Amino acid sequence: MRPRSTFLGLLFPGSALRHSTLFPVATAALLLGGCQTSSSLQDGPFGMQVEDPMRNAPPITQGLDAEGLSTLLGAELAGQRGDYRYASQGYLEAAQRYREPALAERATFAARFGNEASLIEASALRWRELAPQAEAPNRLLAAFSLQRGDWLDSLEQRLDIVEAGGHGDVTAFAEVAIAEEAPLELIVQQLREHLARPNADQLAHHSDVLLGTALVEAALGDTALAQRRLDQVALLDPESAALWLVRARLALETEDYSTAQRAAQQGLELAPDDVRFILLLAQAEIRLNNISAAEAQTDALLESHGGNEDLRLSLAQLYLEEGHPEPAQRLLQPLIGQPEVPNLAYYLLGAITQAQGDTDNALLYYRQVSEGEEFLPARAAAAQMLIEEDRLLDARAFLRIERMRFDNYFTELVMLEVQLLDEMNQPEDANALLDREIARTPDDASLLYMRAMRRWEAGDIAGMEQDLRQILRTDPDNAEALNALGYTLADLNLSGRLQEAFELIERAYEADPDNPAVLDSMGWVYFRLGQPEEALPWLESAYMQMPDQEVAAHLAEVLQALGRDEEARQLIQQIMQRTNLHPKIDDLLERFPELRPEHSPDLSPELTPSEAP
């Protein structure tokens, strides 16, 4: 049973409720009635008209008025009966009326109970507004931004936590950003700007920001500057386990395996239960070709964790990735006799057996991978293995049989075969396969979309539109199809069809308002309609979430149209520094050569005085 609330009186000491707990419903109704205007007091006990004694009373300036009390009681009662959405809305409304952080906090937690994403974010924003130094709302907002792929906003929230003296988990954020291929150039720029601020090195968790920055810089190839960050952390916090974790990873990245070995050992002394150090130590030993030492480490690790199945699989995967299938196979053997063998074990055994040159047995292992995360990778590996053995017909027969065995994966297996045929430079066979399977399943939206995109690449715009229209006949709110068709019409700038393009993209936005591709399309169609001012915020929002070269090219062209050439150059410069292949930017520069940047700024600046060790 949930405890009753006592927060009403505590929040509003001027209220007569300051010593109350949650009222029974009848008492609440009575009090609410007593707080109303004269209509409730017009009739006396004998039906006589009685003047309202509160008619000329001054307005309430402290504590609760009737509406505020009604809102809070409604929210509290809704929470008691499990209607967390209504409860959160009520608390949030009260937090707008009364500048009391605890109300916004209560709105946030009610929304979390109800798993109401939009309400959580709205409540957390109000909570942060009312309590700028509070850490919890920034953490929630950072998590939300990360969940929707807004890396820069998530980092900004974390750095705000650091500025307020809290721990922003910047190192953990950096690890996720690297693994998820986030826009690291923009992230490192934001981190460097923070580190360059006056007194940044005086903040409580400065070393966490330095470590996160070092990780990102190392991933970008700037290992020398990353190492200097680590030297700073060593002076600030030499007993930090995170420092040695990053040192070991950086040493592995730079192929300094002896240093990686020592760093992992040092970290293991500081955090003997941290599995990551044992894995790093094993990896360093493997790279040093000390396989027996690595096996001793992994055996000890398994023994200390009771032969944990997931850990055994991870270790086997590590050996296999490092090119040592025999230790990997020894690790997996104990799993084979179990009643339920994990899919990943069969998948890894297939890869091991394939590496040993035993194609037929490898195929048997791959086929034993049942439905789940490893299903498609196993079929792809098996088919690719057969193709490498010059057995294309066997590979195609294998995939056809698998489509019959696993109807749930029919579409994905067709798409896999199309992809393999493309890689074999057999587009005619790929197209024939796709046509045949669509004829059998004419409403398969994924196959229709795939064929539409292939037709677009071949310049068959009418065929592309035909497939997308077919999708929309069965699924009128398919955001992907709406966006693809609307964007194509806008991009081609087809005469008389721009309004149609706008309406299609508008429908896509209604169906999927957080999709950056849709935001980009909306900005681009506004630009094609001759409204660059309207286009700009859409494209800026799209670029924040998806900073690729196509969105950048659109944004730069809109900036140029608005007379903001220098901003356009800076944006183009960022993209050209990030990748050597940027055909969309090249096309833009052919049309607007004046936007070509004169030089590229150094992405590896010297440390500022406040950062120097």
Side-chain angles (χ1 to χ4, degrees), residues 385-605:
M385 174 184 68
L386 292 170
I387 290 172
E388 290 170 1
E389 295 284 331
D390 293 324
R391 296 167 59 180
L392 176 59
L393 291 178
D394 289 344
R396 298 194 66 181
F398 163 71
L399 292 174
R400 185 171 62 253
I401 292 169
E402 294 302 277
R403 289 200 294 272
M404 291 187 289
R405 290 179 64 208
F406 298 95
D407 188 59
N408 289 340
Y409 288 90
F410 170 83
T411 299
E412 290 85 351
L413 289 168
V414 171
M415 296 170 75
L416 172 60
E417 188 173 346
V418 169
Q419 179 184 337
L420 291 172
L421 288 168
D422 280 342
E423 291 172 1
M424 294 287 293
N425 198 26
Q426 298 188 21
E428 295 83 5
D429 289 345
N431 289 335
L433 169 65
L434 201 50
D435 290 343
R436 184 172 64 249
E437 298 304 337
I438 288 176
R440 293 176 180 171
T441 57
D443 293 332
D444 191 314
S446 296
L447 295 184
L448 284 165
Y449 189 84
M450 186 182 203
R451 188 170 69 178
M453 294 303 100
R454 294 171 70 83
R455 286 176 165 177
W456 174 80
E457 291 171 359
D460 182 6
I461 303 303
M464 180 207 74
E465 182 171 355
Q466 178 183 339
D467 283 337
L468 295 177
R469 295 285 184 192
Q470 175 63 22
I471 294 172
L472 295 173
R473 273 191 286 274
T474 56
D475 183 7
D477 297 324
N478 187 301
E480 192 174 39
L482 288 165
N483 184 59
L485 182 53
Y487 174 78
T488 301
L489 296 177
D491 195 48
L492 295 175
N493 209 6
L494 296 177
S495 177
R497 302 196 70 181
L498 282 180
Q499 186 58 38
E500 179 186 0
F502 178 82
E503 291 169 1
L504 287 164
I505 295 168
E506 191 173 42
R507 287 168 58 193
Y509 177 70
E510 290 172 358
D512 191 2
D514 297 323
N515 188 331
V518 176
L519 300 179
D520 173 58
S521 297
M522 186 67 83
W524 196 233
V525 75
Y526 269 122
F527 179 67
R528 289 300 202 199
L529 288 166
Q531 302 177 50
E533 297 87 355
E534 290 288 342
L536 185 62
W538 293 96
L539 292 171
E540 287 177 330
S541 180
Y543 186 72
M544 286 290 290
Q545 298 182 49
M546 187 173 66
D548 67 11
Q549 60 165 306
E550 185 167 10
V551 181
H554 291 160
L555 179 53
E557 187 164 352
V558 169
L559 289 169
Q560 189 274 341
L562 293 170
R564 296 162 62 174
D565 289 18
E566 185 54 37
E567 293 176 61
R569 286 190 200 96
Q570 293 175 3
L571 179 62
I572 290 169
Q573 199 168 41
Q574 286 180 351
I575 297 296
M576 295 180 75
Q577 289 170 336
R578 192 183 307 168
T579 175
N580 293 326
L581 295 174
H582 33 68
K584 297 293 184 181
I585 296 295
D586 295 339
D587 290 344
L588 178 66
L589 293 176
E590 281 187 18
R591 292 184 287 114
F592 302 100
E594 68 274 16
L595 294 181
R596 184 175 298 278
E598 294 181 3
H599 63 278
S600 300
D602 185 5
L603 279 181
S604 304

Side-chain angles (χ1 to χ4, degrees), residues 80-101:
Q80 292 290 322
R81 64 174 180 266
D83 187 351
Y84 299 116
R85 178 183 179 83
Y86 188 87
S88 178
Q89 289 173 330
Y91 291 128
L92 182 56
E93 182 182 338
Q96 302 293 349
R97 287 168 58 85
Y98 307 104
R99 297 187 58 81
E100 177 52 58

Side-chain angles (χ1 to χ4, degrees), residues 39-53:
S39 61
S40 62
L41 297 174
Q42 290 294 319
D43 297 329
F46 302 105
M48 298 173 61
Q49 294 291 317
V50 179
E51 183 180 357
D52 180 4

